[in-house]
């Protein structure tokens, strides 16, 4: 158990819909990272937050947004869903926020299926 | 991870050694990592190497780093069925870990 909790574990929805994925980092970790894992794209970095502030942005679509709340949990919002958004979405946390991330601790992921 | 490349599949006989190779692009990466993903689970750190090292050994795991060629390898000695998983190499750059596509290791009896 990494200490990172993601909900929901599985989600099935239709195209055009909007979903929210939630992540609780390990106790004491200030950084949260979101990754998308799909068969054709591998593990793609989406976005990082450190202590409530956006720190780095990767291949995140404009239809997607995220935030980190004062209690350090984070939410990833996916809107106007398309079939290609079906993937496993991972949240990871680390105590650091610098350019050198150190070890990331991953949750078990939220599997999104868009029909 | 478009900047980190690794072969996609490896099949190895139980008891043999497995070698997983990776090339990366960011020469400023201070650490390079190997993560393991078992079926239905998240990624878990397996081992890492500091960029000023050439080799690191940790029980059955040996990491080799060739900075000149930006090549990283992971050797698993005496591969067991429990080693069947996806192995990702990763480099640190710009506040994130960039991962390769992952090598699926299948251990056959």
């Amino acid at each position: 158990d990494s200490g990172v909790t993601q909900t929901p574990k599985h989600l099935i929805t239709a195209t055009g819909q909007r979903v929210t994925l939630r992540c609780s980092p390990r106790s004491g970790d200030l950084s949260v990272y979101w990754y998308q894992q799909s068969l054709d794209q591998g593990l793609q970095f989406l976005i990082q937050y450190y202590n409530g502030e956006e720190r780095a942005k990767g291949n995140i679509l404009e239809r997607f947004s995220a935030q980190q709340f004062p209690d350090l949990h984070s939410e990833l919002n996916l809107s106007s869903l398309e079939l290609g958004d079906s993937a496993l979405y991972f949240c990871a946390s680390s105590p650091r926020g610098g350019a050198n991330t150190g070890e990331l601790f991953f949750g078990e992921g939220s599997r999104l299926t868009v029909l | 991870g478009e900047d980190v490349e690794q072969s996609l599949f490896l099949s190895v006989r139980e008891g043999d050694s497995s070698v997983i190779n990776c090339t990366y692009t960011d020469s400023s990466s201070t650490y390079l990592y190997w993560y393991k993903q078992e079926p239905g689970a998240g990624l878990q750190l397996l081992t890492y190497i500091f960029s000023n090292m050439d080799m690191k050994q940790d029980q059955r795991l040996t990491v080799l780093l060739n900075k000149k060629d930006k090549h990283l390898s992971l050797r698993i000695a005496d591969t067991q069925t429990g080693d069947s998983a996806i192995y990702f190499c990763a480099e640190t750059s710009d506040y994130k870990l960039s991962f390769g596509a992952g090598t699926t290791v299948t251990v056959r009896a």
Side-chain angles (χ1 to χ4, degrees), chain A residues 33 35 37 41-45 48 55-56 58-59 88 90 96-109, chain B residues 1-2 29-31 33 35 37 40-46 50 86 88 92-102:
Chain A
Y33 304 77
Y35 284 85
Q37 185 180 31
Q41 294 286 327
L43 198 61
Q44 295 287 318
F45 169 72
Q48 182 216 353
R55 180 61 64 93
N59 302 320
L88 194 50
F90 283 109
R96 303 184 193 181
N100 201 343
T101 65
E103 179 180 358
L104 297 191
F105 297 87
F106 281 80
E108 294 187 350
Chain B
E2 59 194 77
S29 292
T30 308
Y31 291 92
Y33 301 85
Y35 278 77
Q37 183 183 26
L43 281 71
Q44 192 168 18
L45 181 66
L46 197 58
F50 190 50
I86 305 175
F88 294 87
T92 303
S93 62
D94 297 331
Y95 300 92
K96 65 183 187 292
L97 273 187
S98 294
F99 290 86

Side-chain angles (χ1 to χ4, degrees), chain A residues 39-60:
Chain A
L39 285 175
D40 58 341
Q41 294 286 327
L43 198 61
Q44 295 287 318
F45 169 72
L46 296 178
I47 198 163
Q48 182 216 353
Y49 281 84
Y50 175 74
N51 205 19
E53 299 289 325
E54 181 185 305
R55 180 61 64 93
K57 213 168 192 176
N59 302 320
I60 187 166

Side-chain angles (χ1 to χ4, degrees), chain A:
Chain A
D1 182 5
S2 67
V4 178
T5 304
Q6 289 187 247
T7 56
K9 289 195 184 327
H10 301 276
L11 191 53
I12 301 174
T13 189
T15 55
Q17 295 297 305
R18 183 180 191 276
V19 298
T20 297
L21 309 180
R22 182 189 168 100
C23 170
S24 294
R26 283 189 333 153
S27 177
D29 283 358
L30 298 178
S31 277
V32 169
Y33 304 77
W34 286 98
Y35 284 85
Q36 179 193 56
Q37 185 180 31
S38 58
L39 285 175
D40 58 341
Q41 294 286 327
L43 198 61
Q44 295 287 318
F45 169 72
L46 296 178
I47 198 163
Q48 182 216 353
Y49 281 84
Y50 175 74
N51 205 19
E53 299 289 325
E54 181 185 305
R55 180 61 64 93
K57 213 168 192 176
N59 302 320
I60 187 166
L61 300 172
E62 285 191 12
R63 300 183 287 109
F64 296 179
S65 65
Q67 54 184 326
Q68 185 180 28
F69 295 88
D71 67 352
L72 300 177
H73 92 270
S74 179
E75 293 182 355
L76 179 66
N77 301 297
L78 314 174
S79 62
S80 302
L81 286 168
E82 302 175 359
L83 295 177
D85 297 328
S86 295
L88 194 50
Y89 291 84
F90 283 109
C91 169
S93 74
S94 80
R96 303 184 193 181
N100 201 343
T101 65
E103 179 180 358
L104 297 191
F105 297 87
F106 281 80
E108 294 187 350
S110 292
R111 182 169 294 282
L112 173 66
T113 303
V114 182
L115 301 176

